[in-house]
Amino acid sequence: MSHQTAYRTHHVDEVNESLAGQKVTIAGWVDRRRDHGGVAFLDVRDASGLVQVVVYDEELARPLRSEFVVQVTGDVRLRPEGNENDHLATGKVEIVADTIEVLAKSAALPFQVSTALANETEQQLPGEETRLKYRYLDLRRPQMQANLKLRSDMARAARHALEEMDFTEVETPTFIKSTPEGARDFLVPARLVPGSWYALPQSPQLLKQLLMVSGVERYYQLARCYRDEDFRADRQPEFTQLDMEMSFVDQEDVMAMAEKVIAAIWKVAGYDVQLPIQRISWKDAMDKYGSDKPDLRFGNQLVDLTEYFKDTPFRVFQAPYVGAVVYKGAADLPRRQFDAWQEWARQRGAKGLAYVQFTADGVLKGPVAKNLSDAEREGLKEAVHAEDGDAVFFAAGAKESSQLLLGAARVEIARREGLLDPKKFAFTWVVDFPLFKPTDDPDDDDVAVGHSKWTSMHHPFTMPSKDWIDTFDQDPEHAMSDSYDIVCNGEEMGGGSVRIHRDDIQDRVLKVLGISKEEADEKFGFLLEAFKYGAPPHAGIALGWDRTVSLLAGTDTIRDVIAFPKAGGGRDPLTGAPAPISDEQRAETGVDYDPDEEDED
């Protein structure tokens, strides 16, 4: 297709050997300039790439600086023998400038954005605060351009795959009523109804269920979602989900659909995802990997030693659960490194990380060794599948928190051994989740839904599994649900569940959560009301879109795949949001409305 516009005849990446001898006009930014005895060389950059421009007229070149916006007209010629640049798509040619028009000047830059620097090293970047403050400059860097382009290509592939499967894209509102979703709502005052508020949706959950009741059998949207949570690593107060819901389906149907979407998305970057994707139960994931989002790019499973140490004289191991993970070849690490691991464990809220070393000559040492019985020491190496030269970390105590600690150690060991290859993708479904979780779990920072000792593992509209339909409310601790998460490289990419479409089951779930009929009617009565009018069986899934893009882009943080993200604490260094408002604005919003004062008038 032709890229000719009022300012250019060609995009930079179209300037190649086939145009040698022809006159072209390009437009873009001066990436950098180099002067060689009366001749200036400019690299000119547009969204497509970079081309070298040769300027023989010093007058023409003198005013030009980095990031000036220019329009260049000149003849394309092959570069002299030996001067080709293999790193550039346009590296075999250059443009000899006839005219250069400065379309806009640039002040001195707060940091370099030149492509040339990206080729050498990305380490010359300033701190993230500066990058976010001048995000429009940061986004000029080729890596960031590539991330935005990848995000766009992925969205197109997902849309195409869903449209092939007869999905309808539907937009749902951003101003809704506050409903319990597991985090705090962002609230917006309603000026026209003083004293009343809208909530921004944490997800389109209830609305997409209403669409199923409406007879839209296959829905999707790239939905904006909002959660007012304490700022945690790699979370954003506003984020995007690829949200999907289907009627007359079960768990298997949704998983098969989602696999097709994921395969289409990964194809964009040239990867073939092997379908069907493997599965692991939530219990096995916790037992073997110490995580409900296991990283399967490497092995090294946890070892359950509870039975092994059942008669132990070592007080620390007299616990409901004892587990271990092997650190290959680490027996001869210096003591200070093992001390650093203790600090690492304490930062995770543990008391420390017990360890032993199996030295190369077969001696068992380390602080734990002397506390064990002879029989325990004798069989330990075999029990944990270790070899001479390995170290082993232990965790003992409550099962889940011990497994989480070992799971984190397993990943940290792999990181130090260089096993976390961002270009290798290990997918798994995690299935068979519990329906409920205890509200008093110290490892969990979600906001509990309801008022009992149980809260929903996913959300209150999740269907109990078939085996538990009749008894889930008699034994909430063990009840299982029809829910599923898709995991890649130790990150939860998305999750979903079969929804409750029968009001008798929904009533029983709300009762377990301690949500009264009055409270349910007040918070999501509109959904319960809708279910009286013939709700089809339905199920769905949502992919965290920022997370999914960052996995495929291989970035360390989701902020690198979002055009204008927030910094810590939800601040925006670029615009200065959140910011105070004027007294007039405040008065107008009605946030200080007091109904009692109105009664007194």
Side-chain angles (χ1 to χ4, degrees):
M1 72 183 208
S2 167
H3 290 124
Q4 182 151 3
T5 68
Y7 286 94
R8 56 162 64 113
T9 59
H10 294 80
H11 265 147
V12 158
D13 68 345
E14 298 169 301
V15 179
N16 56 30
E17 301 95 303
S18 70
L19 293 178
Q22 293 186 37
K23 197 171 281 305
V24 297
T25 302
I26 60 164
W29 285 264
V30 175
D31 195 81
R32 63 172 179 168
R33 64 174 284 170
R34 302 178 301 292
D35 292 287
H36 293 295
V39 184
F41 292 90
L42 306 178
D43 288 340
V44 176
R45 182 187 77 235
D46 67 13
S48 70
L50 197 75
V51 71
Q52 180 164 290
V53 175
V54 186
V55 190
Y56 288 108
D57 179 348
E58 279 189 66
E59 289 303 305
L60 211 51
R62 184 174 296 126
L64 302 175
R65 299 282 176 273
S66 279
E67 300 306 305
F68 274 34
V69 183
V70 293
Q71 181 185 36
V72 179
T73 299
D75 293 322
V76 179
R77 74 174 183 197
L78 296 176
R79 289 200 193 188
E81 189 88 19
N83 284 1
E84 297 97 338
N85 181 347
D86 296 337
H87 295 301
L88 279 185
T90 59
K92 291 194 168 67
V93 294
E94 56 196 12
I95 299 171
V96 181
D98 295 335
T99 61
I100 298 179
E101 186 179 343
V102 174
L103 302 173
K105 293 181 174 178
S106 168
L109 296 174
F111 57 89
Q112 276 306 129
V113 299
S114 164
T115 316
L117 295 180
N119 287 339
E120 290 153 23
T121 168
E122 288 271 338
Q123 303 317 317
Q124 291 155 323
L125 289 179
E128 189 168 57
E129 188 80 11
T130 306
R131 285 178 57 202
L132 292 180
K133 182 176 179 185
Y134 299 99
R135 187 62 161 186
Y136 43 86
L137 293 179
D138 193 38
L139 289 175
R140 287 184 190 174
R141 294 189 303 110
Q143 187 55 60
M144 298 302 284
Q145 292 278 320
N147 290 352
L148 291 184
K149 178 85 171 75
L150 177 67
R151 185 175 179 128
S152 170
D153 291 345
M154 287 168 68
R156 188 167 63 240
R159 281 197 162 95
H160 186 68
L162 288 160
E163 279 152 15
E164 294 262 285
M165 291 184 271
D166 289 330
F167 276 72
T168 303
E169 184 172 6
V170 184
E171 289 161 329
T172 54
T174 301
F175 283 12
I176 58 166
K177 189 175 178 183
S178 181
T179 56
E181 283 263 3
R184 288 178 194 82
D185 286 324
F186 279 107
L187 300 169
V188 180
R191 178 182 62 84
L192 299 175
V193 191
S196 292
W197 300 73
Y198 298 106
L200 303 183
Q202 295 180 34
S203 81
Q205 183 58 48
L206 305 188
L207 296 154
K208 67 178 179 177
Q209 291 191 251
L210 289 175
L211 286 171
M212 296 302 106
V213 180
S214 312
V216 178
E217 291 194 11
R218 296 185 163 211
Y219 137 95
Y220 82 95
Q221 79 173 313
L222 276 163
R224 300 295 278 162
C225 307
Y226 308 87
R227 289 189 174 182
D228 184 8
E229 52 192 356
D230 295 334
F231 201 76
R232 289 187 282 175
D234 229 19
R235 290 277 178 98
Q236 287 281 308
E238 49 184 330
F239 56 96
T240 305
Q241 284 182 356
L242 175 59
D243 201 40
M244 299 160 276
E245 193 82 6
M246 309 164 77
S247 294
F248 304 109
V249 293
D250 66 5
Q251 176 167 321
E252 294 300 321
D253 299 313
V254 174
M255 289 164 76
M257 175 277 294
E259 288 185 355
K260 284 186 183 151
V261 173
I262 288 163
I265 292 170
W266 253 254
K267 194 116 193 115
V268 162
Y271 292 96
D272 285 323
V273 177
Q274 290 300 301
L275 301 183
I277 289 167
Q278 63 171 315
R279 300 178 183 195
I280 185 170
S281 72
W282 174 81
K283 184 181 182 308
D284 278 352
M286 292 299 293
D287 289 350
K288 292 178 179 173
Y289 303 103
S291 171
D292 59 6
K293 37 179 189 284
D295 193 331
L296 301 183
R297 282 174 292 181
F298 57 97
N300 200 19
Q301 294 183 6
L302 311 189
V303 186
D304 186 336
L305 296 170
T306 315
E307 185 62 24
Y308 185 83
F309 286 118
K310 67 177 190 295
D311 301 319
T312 187
F314 186 28
R315 200 173 47 78
V316 176
F317 285 1
Q318 294 165 1
Y321 171 88
V322 186
V325 64
V326 176
Y327 190 172
K328 292 252 36 105
D332 52 1
L333 287 181
R335 176 65 191 261
R336 62 184 156 71
Q337 286 216 24
F338 285 107
D339 291 344
W341 274 96
Q342 304 311 308
E343 185 48 42
W344 174 89
R346 281 193 283 275
Q347 283 175 353
R348 289 192 134 54
K351 291 194 181 75
L353 201 56
Y355 66 93
V356 298
Q357 297 141 285
F358 296 101
T359 64
D361 47 13
V363 179
L364 178 63
K365 46 181 247 201
V368 169
K370 60 180 182 300
N371 293 297
L372 305 181
S373 69
D374 292 344
E376 285 167 352
R377 280 207 293 272
E378 193 62 41
L380 189 59
K381 187 160 64 178
E382 200 177 339
V384 296
H385 317 299
E387 297 170 330
D388 289 342
D390 294 347
V392 175
F393 287 131
F394 300 93
K399 184 171 183 180
E400 194 166 319
S401 53
S402 300
Q403 286 179 333
L404 288 170
L405 179 65
L406 290 171
R410 172 184 174 267
V411 174
E412 181 60 23
I413 290 167
R415 194 180 67 75
R416 294 177 186 206
E417 292 178 334
L419 298 178
L420 304 184
D421 180 355
K423 293 192 164 48
K424 185 175 164 191
F425 298 101
F427 291 94
T428 184
W429 287 104
V430 180
V431 295
D432 303 334
F433 278 88
L435 184 60
F436 303 108
K437 59 184 180 180
T439 39
D440 57 4
D441 181 357
D443 295 311
D444 185 24
D445 49 10
D446 285 341
V447 177
V449 176
H451 313 281
S452 78
K453 55 191 256 199
W454 300 105
T455 185
S456 299
M457 189 87 169
H458 274 73
H459 53 64
F461 314 105
T462 303
M463 183 69 100
S465 62
K466 291 181 179 62
D467 302 345
W468 283 90
I469 287 282
D470 298 329
T471 55
F472 69 84
D473 37 0
Q474 291 150 39
D475 184 8
E477 183 179 355
H478 298 107
M480 302 301 278
S481 68
D482 268 349
S483 49
Y484 33 87
D485 281 356
I486 181 72
V487 171
C488 178
N489 294 2
E491 301 274 8
E492 181 194 329
M493 257 171 62
S497 66
V498 177
R499 322 301 186 192
I500 298 169
H501 69 285
R502 279 173 37 194
D503 47 14
D504 57 324
I505 299 175
Q506 187 67 70
D507 288 346
R508 287 164 56 207
V509 166
L510 294 176
K511 194 171 271 176
V512 174
L513 297 173
I515 297 177
S516 69
K517 181 158 178 22
E518 294 71 38
E519 185 185 353
D521 283 344
E522 185 207 332
K523 286 197 166 144
F524 37 83
F526 58 91
L527 181 72
L528 302 177
E529 170 79 3
F531 280 179
K532 293 175 184 163
Y533 300 103
H538 57 286
I541 189 168
L543 296 183
W545 195 241
D546 311 293
R547 172 89 52 235
T548 301
V549 178
S550 85
L551 273 165
L552 193 47
T555 64
D556 293 335
T557 159
I558 61 172
R559 293 189 288 282
D560 278 350
V561 297
I562 299 171
F564 299 104
K566 303 288 183 282
R571 291 173 310 102
D572 180 4
L574 176 67
T575 64
I581 54 174
S582 69
D583 292 345
E584 294 79 25
Q585 276 179 301
R586 185 179 176 108
E588 223 174 27
T589 61
V591 295
D592 301 316
Y593 170 76
D594 180 354
D596 296 342
E597 282 181 20
E598 203 153 280
D599 295 343
E600 288 162 19
D601 291 349

CSV table of all heavy atoms in Angstrom, one decimal, residues 565-589:
chain,number,residue,atom,x,y,z
A,565,PRO,N,1.2,4.3,31.9
A,565,PRO,CA,0.9,3.7,33.2
A,565,PRO,C,1.0,4.6,34.4
A,565,PRO,O,1.5,5.7,34.2
A,565,PRO,CB,1.9,2.5,33.2
A,565,PRO,CG,3.1,3.1,32.5
A,565,PRO,CD,2.6,4.0,31.5
A,566,LYS,N,0.6,4.1,35.5
A,566,LYS,CA,0.8,4.8,36.8
A,566,LYS,C,2.0,4.4,37.5
A,566,LYS,O,2.4,3.2,37.3
A,566,LYS,CB,-0.4,4.6,37.7
A,566,LYS,CG,-1.8,5.0,37.1
A,566,LYS,CD,-1.9,6.5,37.0
A,566,LYS,CE,-3.3,6.9,36.5
A,566,LYS,NZ,-3.4,6.7,35.0
A,567,ALA,N,2.6,5.2,38.2
A,567,ALA,CA,3.8,4.8,39.1
A,567,ALA,C,3.3,4.3,40.4
A,567,ALA,O,2.1,4.1,40.6
A,567,ALA,CB,4.7,6.0,39.3
A,568,GLY,N,4.2,4.1,41.4
A,568,GLY,CA,3.8,3.7,42.7
A,568,GLY,C,2.7,4.5,43.3
A,568,GLY,O,2.7,5.7,43.1
A,569,GLY,N,1.8,3.9,44.1
A,569,GLY,CA,0.8,4.6,44.8
A,569,GLY,C,-0.3,5.2,43.8
A,569,GLY,O,-1.1,6.1,44.2
A,570,GLY,N,-0.3,4.7,42.6
A,570,GLY,CA,-1.3,5.1,41.6
A,570,GLY,C,-1.0,6.6,41.1
A,570,GLY,O,-1.9,7.2,40.5
A,571,ARG,N,0.2,7.1,41.3
A,571,ARG,CA,0.5,8.4,40.8
A,571,ARG,C,0.8,8.4,39.3
A,571,ARG,O,1.3,7.5,38.8
A,571,ARG,CB,1.7,9.0,41.6
A,571,ARG,CG,1.4,9.3,43.0
A,571,ARG,CD,2.7,9.8,43.7
A,571,ARG,NE,3.8,8.8,43.4
A,571,ARG,CZ,4.8,9.0,42.6
A,571,ARG,NH1,4.9,10.1,41.9
A,571,ARG,NH2,5.7,8.1,42.4
A,572,ASP,N,0.5,9.5,38.7
A,572,ASP,CA,0.9,9.7,37.2
A,572,ASP,C,1.9,10.9,37.1
A,572,ASP,O,1.5,12.0,37.2
A,572,ASP,CB,-0.4,10.0,36.4
A,572,ASP,CG,0.0,10.2,34.9
A,572,ASP,OD1,1.2,10.0,34.6
A,572,ASP,OD2,-0.9,10.5,34.2
A,573,PRO,N,3.2,10.6,37.0
A,573,PRO,CA,4.2,11.6,36.9
A,573,PRO,C,4.0,12.5,35.7
A,573,PRO,O,4.5,13.7,35.7
A,573,PRO,CB,5.5,10.9,36.9
A,573,PRO,CG,5.3,9.5,37.4
A,573,PRO,CD,3.8,9.2,37.0
A,574,LEU,N,3.3,12.0,34.7
A,574,LEU,CA,3.2,12.8,33.5
A,574,LEU,C,2.2,14.0,33.6
A,574,LEU,O,2.5,15.1,33.4
A,574,LEU,CB,2.7,11.9,32.3
A,574,LEU,CG,2.4,12.5,31.0
A,574,LEU,CD1,3.7,13.1,30.3
A,574,LEU,CD2,1.8,11.5,30.0
A,575,THR,N,1.0,13.6,34.1
A,575,THR,CA,-0.1,14.6,34.2
A,575,THR,C,-0.2,15.2,35.6
A,575,THR,O,-0.9,16.2,35.8
A,575,THR,CB,-1.5,14.0,33.8
A,575,THR,OG1,-1.8,13.0,34.8
A,575,THR,CG2,-1.4,13.4,32.5
A,576,GLY,N,0.4,14.5,36.6
A,576,GLY,CA,0.3,15.0,38.0
A,576,GLY,C,-1.0,14.5,38.7
A,576,GLY,O,-1.3,14.9,39.8
A,577,ALA,N,-1.7,13.5,38.1
A,577,ALA,CA,-2.9,13.0,38.8
A,577,ALA,C,-2.4,11.9,39.8
A,577,ALA,O,-1.3,11.4,39.6
A,577,ALA,CB,-3.8,12.3,37.7
A,578,PRO,N,-3.2,11.7,40.9
A,578,PRO,CA,-4.4,12.5,41.3
A,578,PRO,C,-4.0,13.8,41.8
A,578,PRO,O,-2.9,14.0,42.4
A,578,PRO,CB,-5.0,11.6,42.4
A,578,PRO,CG,-3.8,10.9,42.9
A,578,PRO,CD,-2.8,10.7,41.8
A,579,ALA,N,-4.9,14.8,41.7
A,579,ALA,CA,-4.6,16.2,42.1
A,579,ALA,C,-5.8,16.8,42.8
A,579,ALA,O,-6.9,16.3,42.6
A,579,ALA,CB,-4.3,17.0,40.8
A,580,PRO,N,-5.5,17.8,43.7
A,580,PRO,CA,-6.6,18.4,44.4
A,580,PRO,C,-7.6,19.1,43.4
A,580,PRO,O,-7.1,19.4,42.2
A,580,PRO,CB,-5.9,19.5,45.2
A,580,PRO,CG,-4.5,19.1,45.3
A,580,PRO,CD,-4.2,18.4,44.0
A,581,ILE,N,-8.8,19.3,43.8
A,581,ILE,CA,-9.7,20.1,42.9
A,581,ILE,C,-10.1,21.4,43.6
A,581,ILE,O,-9.8,21.6,44.8
A,581,ILE,CB,-11.0,19.3,42.6
A,581,ILE,CG1,-11.7,18.8,44.0
A,581,ILE,CG2,-10.8,18.1,41.8
A,581,ILE,CD1,-13.0,18.2,43.8
A,582,SER,N,-10.6,22.3,42.8
A,582,SER,CA,-10.9,23.6,43.4
A,582,SER,C,-12.2,23.5,44.3
A,582,SER,O,-12.9,22.6,44.2
A,582,SER,CB,-11.2,24.6,42.3
A,582,SER,OG,-12.4,24.3,41.6
A,583,ASP,N,-12.3,24.5,45.2
A,583,ASP,CA,-13.5,24.5,46.1
A,583,ASP,C,-14.8,24.5,45.3
A,583,ASP,O,-15.8,23.9,45.6
A,583,ASP,CB,-13.4,25.8,47.0
A,583,ASP,CG,-12.3,25.7,47.9
A,583,ASP,OD1,-11.7,24.6,48.1
A,583,ASP,OD2,-11.9,26.7,48.5
A,584,GLU,N,-14.8,25.3,44.1
A,584,GLU,CA,-16.0,25.3,43.3
A,584,GLU,C,-16.3,23.9,42.8
A,584,GLU,O,-17.5,23.5,42.8
A,584,GLU,CB,-15.8,26.3,42.1
A,584,GLU,CG,-15.6,27.7,42.4
A,584,GLU,CD,-14.2,28.0,42.9
A,584,GLU,OE1,-13.3,27.3,42.5
A,584,GLU,OE2,-14.0,29.0,43.7
A,585,GLN,N,-15.3,23.2,42.2
A,585,GLN,CA,-15.5,21.9,41.7
A,585,GLN,C,-16.1,21.0,42.8
A,585,GLN,O,-17.0,20.2,42.6
A,585,GLN,CB,-14.2,21.3,41.2
A,585,GLN,CG,-13.8,21.7,39.8
A,585,GLN,CD,-12.5,21.0,39.4
A,585,GLN,OE1,-11.5,21.3,40.0
A,585,GLN,NE2,-12.5,20.2,38.4
A,586,ARG,N,-15.5,21.1,44.0
A,586,ARG,CA,-15.9,20.2,45.1
A,586,ARG,C,-17.4,20.5,45.5
A,586,ARG,O,-18.1,19.6,45.7
A,586,ARG,CB,-15.0,20.5,46.3
A,586,ARG,CG,-15.3,19.5,47.4
A,586,ARG,CD,-14.4,19.7,48.7
A,586,ARG,NE,-14.8,18.8,49.7
A,586,ARG,CZ,-14.1,17.7,50.1
A,586,ARG,NH1,-13.0,17.4,49.5
A,586,ARG,NH2,-14.6,16.9,51.0
A,587,ALA,N,-17.7,21.7,45.6
A,587,ALA,CA,-19.1,22.1,45.9
A,587,ALA,C,-20.0,21.5,44.9
A,587,ALA,O,-21.1,21.0,45.2
A,587,ALA,CB,-19.2,23.6,46.0
A,588,GLU,N,-19.6,21.6,43.6
A,588,GLU,CA,-20.5,21.1,42.5
A,588,GLU,C,-20.7,19.6,42.5
A,588,GLU,O,-21.8,19.1,42.2
A,588,GLU,CB,-19.8,21.5,41.2
A,588,GLU,CG,-20.8,22.1,40.2
A,588,GLU,CD,-20.0,22.6,38.9
A,588,GLU,OE1,-19.0,22.0,38.6
A,588,GLU,OE2,-20.6,23.5,38.3
A,589,THR,N,-19.7,18.8,43.0
A,589,THR,CA,-19.8,17.4,42.9
A,589,THR,C,-20.8,16.8,43.9
A,589,THR,O,-21.4,15.7,43.7
A,589,THR,CB,-18.5,16.7,43.3
A,589,THR,OG1,-18.1,17.1,44.6
A,589,THR,CG2,-17.4,17.1,42.3
